[in-house]
Amino acid sequence: MKWDWDALSGFSAAVAAFLSFIAVLISLFTTGYQIRADKKAMRPIVIPELKNVSSNISDIIFDWDTDEKMNKKFSKSVIELKNIGKESAIDIRYSFRMENEDKVKEYFLLSNKFKNNIDKSYVEIKDDDDFGKIAYVYRKRSTGQVFRMVYWMNAYIRTGPSISANSSQPVYLPSYFVAIVNYNFMRNLKYDNEVTIVMPILRLKINFKDIYLKEWSVVYLLSMSSTYDFRDNSNLFATVEHAQVEKMKRVRKSLW
């Protein structure tokens, strides 16, 4: 049997060329994958830190951090946003809205029915023709002094400074959230036999850009911890916790 060495040599060369081509493709794929993995590892990651509350809430319309009367939109109680990634997060925007608004509204409608003549405080969540969604707080002190406060519940978009790697920046909690939590502790804990207490849950949406100006979005829920210490009917020791409900994703088109 005679071998066609020229044909065999040509076939071997073709196989070698094909294998070389496959090796180049694998190398390119591996390099591309490593580049993407390195970029992902360097990407900024913005998360809210736990907030410990240690405050005298003898008046429901006062701030946790400053013990001052809150304005209509934002308190001065802060949640720190921390960048645990390896590159800076820039062009930061964030907004809050109440995640369980319907349940909290229903809770107030029920709990207000159990107020007696001595208790002169209540909260209502309702729509206002001028301001949109509001939390209306009526508070009458034992001295006879009356506070009527309106807290705006619209999902205002706020901007923040850049956050470098392993750094944090404060964002301010909405006034209505602090006021409702205070009210629930101060006025409603004693009514837990009649109606189940519903604490507000905040939905925090954060948008930011990386150093390549690609925009990212992530969503967290903020809520009061189930464990707390409420002493002397005014001193609150609790924690604002967070849970991630939407993973960080690339924003192709801004939804704000």
Side-chain angles (χ1 to χ4, degrees):
M1 182 178 180
K2 296 183 178 180
W3 296 91
D4 188 339
W5 294 106
D6 291 339
L8 185 61
S9 177
F11 176 76
S12 298
V15 170
F18 176 76
L19 293 177
S20 178
F21 175 72
I22 293 298
V24 170
L25 286 181
I26 293 174
S27 177
L28 290 174
F29 175 81
T30 302
T31 301
Y33 177 82
Q34 187 61 48
I35 291 174
R36 288 193 295 272
D38 291 343
K39 284 186 176 181
K40 185 176 181 180
M42 297 295 291
R43 189 180 300 160
I45 302 172
V46 179
I47 65 170
E49 295 190 301
L50 294 175
K51 176 178 180 58
N52 292 319
V53 178
S54 176
S55 179
N56 184 315
I57 59 171
S58 56
D59 203 315
I60 61 178
I61 63 175
F62 279 20
D63 208 309
W64 290 336
D65 289 1
T66 64
D67 198 30
E68 297 175 351
K69 186 178 176 181
M70 295 180 290
N71 65 32
K72 296 179 182 298
K73 292 183 180 180
F74 288 91
S75 71
K76 294 184 179 179
S77 295
V78 300
I79 289 283
E80 295 286 340
L81 293 186
K82 186 170 185 178
N83 178 10
I84 61 173
K86 297 182 179 180
E87 292 178 340
S88 295
I90 61 177
D91 293 347
I92 297 169
R93 291 174 293 168
Y94 64 92
S95 68
F96 292 99
R97 70 173 174 83
M98 191 186 293
E99 177 75 6
N100 59 339
E101 177 187 316
D102 290 341
K103 291 183 178 179
V104 174
K105 184 176 181 179
E106 181 181 358
Y107 163 60
F108 285 141
L109 291 174
L110 291 173
S111 65
N112 287 338
K113 294 179 180 180
F114 295 100
K115 298 295 182 291
N116 55 44
N117 292 329
I118 299 176
D119 192 338
K120 299 296 184 180
S121 298
Y122 64 88
V123 177
E124 291 180 330
I125 294 176
K126 55 186 179 180
D127 293 311
D128 183 88
D129 293 337
D130 296 323
F131 305 117
K133 191 74 63 178
I134 64 170
Y136 175 79
V137 178
Y138 178 91
R139 172 81 164 101
K140 185 175 183 179
R141 289 177 170 172
S142 58
T143 60
Q145 186 180 16
V146 172
F147 288 93
R148 293 180 177 90
M149 293 298 301
V150 174
Y151 297 115
W152 299 346
M153 298 179 62
N154 302 321
Y156 298 103
I157 299 171
R158 307 197 80 183
T159 59
S162 300
I163 308 177
S164 58
N166 295 315
S167 298
S168 61
Q169 292 288 346
V171 299
Y172 296 94
L173 290 171
S175 295
Y176 68 81
F177 177 78
V178 176
I180 290 175
V181 170
N182 289 349
Y183 175 81
N184 283 352
F185 275 106
M186 280 296 299
R187 314 307 303 173
N188 281 5
L189 283 181
K190 58 185 176 182
Y191 297 102
D192 57 358
N193 292 327
E194 290 90 352
V195 58
T196 302
I197 297 172
V198 179
M199 286 290 184
I201 298 174
L202 285 180
R203 183 179 182 89
L204 169 60
K205 180 183 178 183
I206 308 169
N207 277 39
F208 59 90
K209 294 178 182 178
D210 59 25
I211 62 174
Y212 305 102
L213 300 183
K214 294 179 180 179
E215 187 172 358
W216 301 87
S217 177
V218 63
V219 177
Y220 298 93
L221 293 184
L222 307 181
S223 59
M224 301 303 296
S225 60
S226 57
T227 57
Y228 57 85
D229 187 0
F230 189 47
R231 303 175 185 174
D232 303 324
N233 205 35
S234 61
N235 294 310
L236 174 63
F237 301 88
T239 304
V240 180
E241 302 176 331
H242 70 269
Q244 186 174 342
V245 292
E246 289 186 15
K247 293 181 178 180
M248 193 172 78
K249 59 185 179 181
R250 175 82 183 278
V251 177
R252 304 293 178 178
K253 183 178 180 180
S254 180
L255 300 177
W256 293 97

